Amino acid sequence: MGDNNHHQVFDVSANGYGESKCFDDDGRLKRSGSVWTASAHIITAVIGSGVLSLAWATAQLGWIAGPTVLLLFSFVTYYTSALLADCYRSGDQVSGKRNYTYMDAVRANLGGLQVKICGVIQYVNLFGVAVGYTIASSISMMAVKRSDCFHKHGHRAACNVSSTPYMIMFGVMEILFSQIPDFDQIWWLSIVAAVMSFTYSTIGLGLGVAQVAETGKIQGSLTGISIGAEVTEMQKIWRSFQALGAIAFAYSYSLILIEIQDTLKAPPSEAKTMKKATLLSVAVTTVFYMLCGCFGYAAFGDQSPGNLLTGFGFYNPYWLLDIANVAIVVHLVGAYQVYCQPLFAFVEKTAFEWYPSNKFITKDIDVPIPGYKPFKLNLFRLVWRTIFVIITTVISMLMPFFNDVVGILGAFGFWPLTVYFPVEMYIVQKKIPKWSARWISLQILSGACLVISIAAAAGSFAGVVSDLKVYRPFKTPN
């Protein structure tokens, strides 16, 4: 890719940037993204490990509330993403100033303290995703080991496996991959990750369908897990709240929406293309989620495991489960980078601005690679990204509960990033008058989502507290 860009730079037409063949109106090389590439990015970001907890979430809520909540979240995600897409350019949709990141959009529309709050929430969330993905990948690697053990020694065997060595392996892989300098150089990782996420989601769905076909029974009830037999009344309430967090996490991608929109070519306006891509990808995702959540629940009913492919609802065919779990690990290796690159870029840019003359931060060392051009190694990047990966890995070892972490992340990011900021920016951008019908309905939507977020956070924290009662550090709950 690098070489083409160098040839193009000299090919500016006489009319400057505006009309140039090779540059966009902001002087950057022409963007080439389309509805299809944007949809691929969104689907890679959305259909992640969140899909695996949907059967469990549906089991907490039951046959009526489960699918209803899934549909509700998909509608809210689509609607607020469309509002957010309008904030990519400030002022005019076609010629207004571009905002390259979510924080730029908040800075242009809301300014002041809100920018800092948005930054903190966004980056803490990205950090949390890194922890969540480390946990999820180690659970999948353990599942491969345990599935083979069950296959050899029968389903009654203990087959206990520690997650610590697997987390360390994942951490080492991420240290290597995180040395890839920036976002546009990991597009191939995104494609591999998208293929993998479809692979394991489809296997999970297929196994659920097969189970229902084999037993001929659809498990589950209209109201979900029954009080008394499985859980106390209080636990039922907390778990239902936690299920909301898990579903919110499964849909969340607004924190990288603007960055995806910044890859689109115009005309038509980026907002128009992005809305089409959002509609397409949210529709695909919702159908997929409904199938995975509902078939998983139909197969296992109240016993639906917290993670469909590693909770050992299925034992056979064991090789197929192994393929699915390997696909999860490969996908998460890629997804970890897609989510962490904006955080890496932010820290490095800030360090560069604060200490422009510090050699440690600015100097690149050429590392010769036989047969290739030398790899530019930056010492600050090497040290800081390595420390970042080590910290996320250690935190993962200290609290390896997949469902609770997913619920907390979903709850923490959902209201501010998916609802509050898009709604507030849209109101400013479209100059919607206070107390008008439009303004009131947008505020009601935002308020309702805030209540859902608080409930989901409370449920997930309650889950962590009850897990910690029976938990020993560095020992994985099997």
Side-chain angles (χ1 to χ4, degrees):
M1 261 169 72
D3 295 338
N4 306 350
N5 296 353
H6 292 302
H7 298 310
Q8 289 175 325
V9 173
F10 303 107
D11 183 26
V12 182
S13 66
N15 347 2
Y17 288 143
E19 305 292 311
S20 153
K21 287 192 195 72
C22 304
F23 291 94
D24 275 327
D25 53 6
D26 59 345
R28 297 195 179 185
L29 283 171
K30 270 241 182 282
R31 292 159 174 81
S32 58
S34 62
V35 170
W36 298 109
T37 62
S39 303
H41 280 310
I42 296 173
I43 289 170
T44 302
V46 181
I47 299 187
S49 53
V51 69
L52 301 171
S53 58
L54 291 179
W56 179 88
T58 311
Q60 309 313 308
L61 299 166
W63 276 121
I64 299 174
T68 310
V69 170
L70 276 167
L71 283 174
L72 215 66
F73 271 101
S74 70
F75 169 73
V76 170
T77 304
Y78 167 67
Y79 182 69
T80 57
S81 298
L83 299 186
L84 189 56
D86 281 336
C87 303
Y88 171 64
R89 286 181 182 267
S90 299
D92 186 64
Q93 281 305 310
V94 179
S95 58
K97 182 182 168 302
R98 295 169 187 266
N99 299 307
Y100 299 113
T101 64
Y102 198 128
M103 271 177 81
D104 288 346
V106 175
R107 189 175 291 116
N109 289 291
L110 303 173
L113 181 64
Q114 303 225 31
V115 183
K116 289 193 173 63
I117 294 172
C118 166
V120 168
I121 292 172
Q122 190 178 3
Y123 293 125
V124 167
N125 212 314
L126 291 173
F127 179 80
V129 167
V131 173
Y133 282 0
T134 307
I135 295 171
S137 67
S138 76
I139 291 175
S140 282
M141 290 191 239
M142 285 161 58
V144 171
K145 185 100 172 115
R146 293 179 70 200
S147 143
D148 295 352
C149 165
F150 286 134
H151 181 68
K152 278 199 188 88
H153 305 293
H155 300 176
R156 299 255 172 262
C159 292
N160 290 335
V161 183
S162 163
S163 64
T164 308
Y166 296 108
M167 288 188 185
I168 293 170
M169 273 161 54
F170 185 77
V172 170
M173 278 193 296
E174 291 307 342
I175 287 173
L176 292 173
F177 275 116
S178 62
Q179 294 313 312
I180 298 173
D182 54 20
F183 210 61
D184 61 355
Q185 292 174 9
I186 57 171
W187 56 271
W188 55 274
L189 210 56
S190 208
I191 291 171
V192 173
V195 172
M196 291 299 158
S197 65
F198 270 120
T199 305
Y200 67 73
S201 307
T202 311
I203 291 175
L205 172 62
L207 289 169
V209 173
Q211 179 96 352
V212 173
E214 193 183 315
T215 55
K217 278 209 303 277
I218 290 184
Q219 306 261 14
S221 62
L222 294 181
T223 53
I225 281 191
S226 42
I227 296 169
E230 298 288 329
V231 290
T232 63
E233 200 165 326
M234 206 58 220
Q235 276 175 316
K236 165 88 175 165
I237 294 169
W238 288 129
R239 281 180 166 203
S240 301
F241 286 164
Q242 196 182 333
L244 295 177
I247 293 172
F249 176 75
Y251 274 112
S252 64
Y253 73 98
S254 38
L255 59 163
I256 51 176
L257 181 138
I258 300 268
E259 279 87 341
I260 294 173
Q261 193 166 345
D262 190 40
T263 62
L264 298 175
K265 60 170 181 258
S269 75
E270 296 88 355
K272 223 180 222 159
T273 311
M274 195 62 194
K275 284 176 189 171
K276 274 188 195 151
T278 300
L279 181 61
L280 180 68
S281 29
V282 171
V284 169
T285 306
T286 305
V287 169
F288 218 68
Y289 280 4
M290 292 291 264
L291 290 170
C292 282
C294 295
F295 270 109
Y297 182 40
F300 300 117
D302 288 356
Q303 303 303 318
S304 295
N307 180 329
L308 194 58
L309 290 170
T310 61
F312 289 96
F314 307 110
Y315 290 96
N316 285 314
Y318 81 103
W319 52 269
L320 191 61
L321 276 179
D322 290 356
I323 291 173
N325 279 307
V326 169
I328 292 174
V329 175
V330 175
H331 170 236
L332 292 177
V333 168
Y336 186 102
Q337 290 302 325
V338 171
Y339 275 101
C340 291
Q341 286 288 348
L343 178 57
F344 291 158
F346 172 72
V347 170
E348 280 146 33
K349 193 169 136 231
T350 310
F352 196 78
E353 282 164 7
W354 286 358
Y355 307 105
S357 54
N358 186 320
K359 287 277 183 287
F360 175 62
I361 292 172
T362 54
K363 192 170 163 26
D364 282 344
I365 302 166
D366 280 352
V367 179
I369 303 172
Y372 289 94
K373 51 185 185 198
F375 178 74
K376 290 200 176 314
L377 183 69
N378 175 299
L379 279 182
F380 174 67
R381 189 173 71 218
L382 175 71
V383 172
W384 123 252
R385 292 188 183 190
T386 304
I387 291 170
F388 173 86
V389 176
I390 291 170
I391 292 171
T392 56
T393 309
V394 170
I395 291 175
S396 310
M397 290 178 194
L398 285 171
M399 46 174 297
F401 339 111
F402 177 67
N403 274 55
D404 302 325
V405 172
V406 160
I408 289 171
L409 285 174
F412 181 66
F414 173 67
W415 177 70
L417 297 174
T418 305
V419 185
Y420 172 77
F421 285 118
V423 163
E424 293 301 312
M425 290 195 287
Y426 183 77
I427 287 173
V428 170
Q429 185 113 351
K430 294 282 186 260
K431 302 185 175 56
I432 297 170
K434 241 186 182 167
W435 306 113
S436 63
R438 189 84 203 271
W439 187 88
I440 290 172
S441 53
L442 284 168
Q443 296 299 346
I444 289 171
L445 171 73
S446 183
C449 292
L450 172 62
V451 173
I452 291 172
S453 263
I454 292 170
S460 301
F461 278 115
V464 169
V465 170
S466 72
D467 281 342
L468 287 174
K469 284 179 190 158
V470 295
Y471 166 70
R472 302 280 164 276
F474 298 109
K475 290 273 186 291
T476 314
N478 277 326

